[in-house]
Every structure is written in C-alpha cells, then in structure tokens.
Amino acid sequence: MTTTEKYRVRVTLFGTVTLENHRGRAVENPSRQSQPWLLLKYLLVHRTREVDPEELAAALWPDNPKAAGENAARVRLNRLREALTPLGLEGKSGLVQYAGGRYRLNPRYILDTDEDRFLDLLARLRGCPAEDPAGLTLCLEALTLAAGPYLGKTGDAPWAAPYRACFRRAFAGLARDTLARTRTLEDPRAVDLLCRRVPDLLPGDAAIHDELCDYLKKTGRELDLLRLTARPVPREPKPRPASQGHEIVSKIVIQKGQVYTVAAPSGQRPLQYTRRDEPELTRVFREEGLSGLLLAVAREIHRGRIRTRADSKLTRAIRKALHTLGLETFLDLEEEPAAQTLTALVLEELQGESKPNRTVSNA
C-alpha cells in the first residue's frame, strides 16, 4: 500500500455522511451521536482552516454557546474520535486535531469528497456543448453523486443553511441542464435518476417539478410520472387498538383463479403459518384482474394490517417494489397514491420477469 493510499479518506457529504478508507467505513448515526458528527461536518465544510472554540460552540449550540463552554466541545471531540476508531483515525494524531486552542482536520490526510467531485463535474459541464453526448454522461455522474441533501441530517443548525441552499441552487441548475440535454439529444437515460433526485433535493421547486412532469407526459413515461407525483404528505400516526395486530404473509398464491395466503399472526410465537382461501381477494382478482388484486394488497400493507416476506414470485415482486420505493416513503404517502405507485412497480417487475408460456398463476 502506498503512503498516499494510506492517508486517503473518501468522504460522502451528500445524504448520509460517511468516511471510508483502506481499513473500513464509518457512517453517521444522528439518532445516537448527533453532536460529534455535527462537529465533524463543521470541520469538513471549513477544512481549509482552523476553527476556534467560540466559533465551534456557536455552531454546535446556537441557542446558548457560552453556557456550553469549551469542555463540552472537547467531550464531543473525544466521542467523535471513538466513532472513527474502526478507520484508525482516532487519537491526537488522527483525523481531528485540537492544538494551540483550535480545532482542525489533520493536513496529513488527503480528503476525497463527493462535494469536490460534484463541483468539478459542474465546471466541466459548463464547457460542454448542448449537443455533445458527453455532457449527458457528466449529468449522470453528477446526479449519481447528489444522493441526498448536502450534509445529510443537520437538524436546524443555522450555520448549515447557507451551504445547503447553495447546493440546492446548484442541483436546480443541474436538473434544468439535464432535462435540456435530454430533449436536445433525445436520450432519456438520465430521466429515471432525475425523477428520483428531484423530490428529495428540490421538494419545493414547482417550476422544475412541472417542467419534468410535462416532459414525462409528452414522452409517455407514465410510471416515472406516477413516481414523481406521489409526493409525501405529513400524516398523524393512527392509534391501533391493543387487540389489533397484523399478519406476516410469506406467500400470496394464485391458483385456478383462486387467491390464497400463507400467513401467521404477528403476536404468535413461534410463527405458525397456515394456508387459507381469501374470498374477498379472489373476488377482486376475478373482477379487476391482477392490478385490482395488487391495489387491494397494497392498501392493506399501507394500513399496517399485513407484512410480506419474500417467497412466491408475487410476494418477491412486492418486496422488491417496496425496497425500490422505500418503505418509509411508501408509508408517508396518502393511501391511494401509495397503493397505485406500489401496484405499478410490482406489475413492472412481474412483466420484466415473465417468460413465454408462463402465467402469473404459477406465482
């Protein structure tokens, strides 16, 4: 291993903040260590200079920086060093240093950040003609890097707001450029990734959202349009009676027009699965076909009454669709848009796996 590789640290600042080197990977966990990682994020953003304790206290405790004191920051520093131990970046000579009454990142380490690569791609993109296919490739690379909001979950930290806003503007420009190049080149390969990025990174930008919807309508990309327009909405958790649980379904089986499930009550231990006829699902399947059946199942999953385990072809397709959509995102949507989105994804998955002379009844 070369000396350069030994001291190289790959840093992800878009989405979940991570550090990675030849020894392993450390991932931000805001629910357990929010302040130590917030300290690291502040130093990463200001990695070209030293930070005095007063400035750091104002960033970590904006409501009352004087009450926190320097000792509180040192405690967070020690906890951060513990989190970086698996990477060998702990200790006074590790990544984060405190010397001369100031905090800094150890200049010995070479930081390879997705932020720098993202900005480099945007700079190269500005010099690339609209009709050059290489420009769309640069757009794809930049969209891949922008996997989430800048600095991930920083809470309400005031110091982070200007940086996040700056990268939102940069991503908005990238989104418009990507869509313009897609139209010019008639090459839709970046659209799918753009549809996944816009709701997360530009949730309040109605102009870009409408422009992307208009393109999807004109090009007949109904599934991408459905994914894009299924926006999360705040919802209150519905209280559930203590006696009401859910079922763990290991199989949804269709045989000769009949729908069966193999399921066990969630409160039963050990789980004992039994197969039973589902007359209501059978009725829906006969009247409305596979799409109607999937809508009914998706509603039950959204209501929390059933949970599926991958076994039959049909349940595997449902689980894969939930993974693609993101279970949390699926549950945060209103019931009907969520059910329709899941149904479309499952049907797409089943059609992709289907073979000649093979029917869904074999699922």
Side-chain angles (χ1 to χ4, degrees):
M1 179 185 300
T2 63
T3 303
T4 301
E5 184 64 26
K6 181 179 179 181
Y7 290 103
R8 183 178 297 277
V9 181
R10 292 172 291 280
V11 183
T12 301
L13 293 173
F14 290 107
T16 302
V17 175
T18 63
L19 273 68
E20 186 176 1
N21 64 5
H22 64 284
R23 295 185 58 172
R25 191 166 181 254
V27 182
E28 171 193 14
N29 187 352
S31 62
R32 297 186 61 187
Q33 294 182 325
S34 59
Q35 288 291 344
W37 279 88
L38 194 58
L39 184 155
L40 177 61
K41 292 176 188 179
Y42 192 85
L43 294 179
L44 285 169
V45 169
H46 302 91
R47 54 187 175 273
T48 58
R49 64 181 181 88
E50 296 180 338
V51 178
D52 60 54
E54 292 77 16
E55 179 185 348
L56 192 59
L60 297 179
W61 298 279
D63 296 332
N64 197 354
K66 292 184 178 180
E70 184 177 344
N71 185 58
R74 295 292 298 275
V75 170
R76 301 310 187 273
L77 173 61
N78 291 333
R79 291 180 179 174
L80 175 60
R81 285 172 172 171
E82 290 177 5
L84 300 180
T85 300
L87 279 67
L89 303 177
E90 75 285 3
K92 295 181 180 180
S93 60
L95 180 63
V96 184
Q97 295 183 317
Y98 178 74
R102 292 173 177 269
Y103 295 84
R104 69 172 186 176
L105 295 180
N106 191 336
R108 170 182 291 184
Y109 289 93
I110 304 169
L111 301 183
D112 178 12
T113 69
D114 56 350
E115 171 191 343
D116 291 338
R117 283 180 277 136
F118 180 78
L119 294 176
D120 178 64
L121 287 169
L122 294 188
R124 292 166 59 190
L125 195 56
R126 284 192 288 271
C128 190
E131 62 278 2
D132 188 348
L136 197 57
T137 301
L138 293 175
C139 289
L140 274 167
E141 292 179 20
L143 288 171
T144 302
L145 286 175
Y150 183 66
L151 297 179
K153 299 180 180 179
T154 54
D156 298 324
W159 67 267
Y163 299 98
R164 292 163 71 94
C166 176
F167 277 97
R168 274 198 298 270
R169 290 193 295 270
F171 182 77
L174 173 63
R176 291 191 176 93
D177 196 0
T178 301
L179 201 51
R181 292 175 185 272
T182 297
R183 289 195 179 106
T184 301
L185 298 171
E186 297 183 353
D187 185 349
R189 57 195 165 116
V191 171
D192 180 63
L193 189 53
L194 186 61
C195 287
R196 280 184 276 160
R197 294 293 189 254
V198 165
D200 292 332
L201 301 179
L202 299 172
D205 197 322
I208 290 181
H209 186 275
D210 293 343
E211 188 177 349
L212 186 53
C213 285
D214 182 62
Y215 171 80
L216 295 174
K217 289 177 183 176
K218 289 181 178 178
T219 54
R221 299 175 68 94
E222 291 82 2
L223 182 57
D224 287 327
L225 181 62
L226 188 58
R227 290 172 179 163
L228 184 65
T229 55
R231 297 178 177 178
V233 296
R235 66 185 184 102
E236 294 294 330
K238 299 177 181 179
R240 180 179 294 172
S243 60
Q244 182 180 359
H246 63 269
E247 285 192 330
I248 299 175
V249 178
S250 66
K251 286 185 182 180
I252 301 174
V253 183
I254 304 172
Q255 288 182 346
K256 298 180 180 179
Q258 297 283 341
V259 180
Y260 304 89
T261 60
V262 179
S266 59
Q268 176 181 296
R269 291 293 185 274
L271 295 175
Q272 296 180 1
Y273 290 92
T274 57
R275 171 169 167 158
R276 67 164 183 253
D277 184 18
E278 297 288 350
E280 181 58 27
L281 293 180
T282 297
R283 181 191 65 79
V284 172
F285 176 66
R286 290 177 176 175
E287 293 178 359
E288 303 177 26
L290 180 60
S291 178
L293 170 64
L294 289 172
L295 272 173
V297 172
R299 293 187 187 108
E300 292 300 294
I301 295 174
H302 192 272
R303 294 167 188 167
R305 294 178 184 169
I306 66 172
R307 296 179 186 172
T308 61
R309 287 185 174 177
D311 195 315
S312 69
K313 179 180 177 182
L314 192 55
T315 46
R316 282 198 304 270
I318 292 172
R319 285 292 293 265
K320 187 170 182 179
L322 283 172
H323 177 75
T324 301
L325 186 61
L327 182 58
E328 291 184 2
T329 301
F330 172 76
L331 294 177
D332 284 339
L333 300 177
E334 290 183 334
E335 181 178 299
E336 205 53 33
Q340 291 176 2
T341 302
L342 182 62
T343 297
L345 289 171
V346 176
L347 289 173
E348 182 185 60
E349 176 65 23
L350 291 173
Q351 290 168 1
E353 290 186 0
S354 62
K355 298 179 180 180
N357 302 323
R358 185 171 181 178
T359 64
V360 179
S361 61
N362 294 325

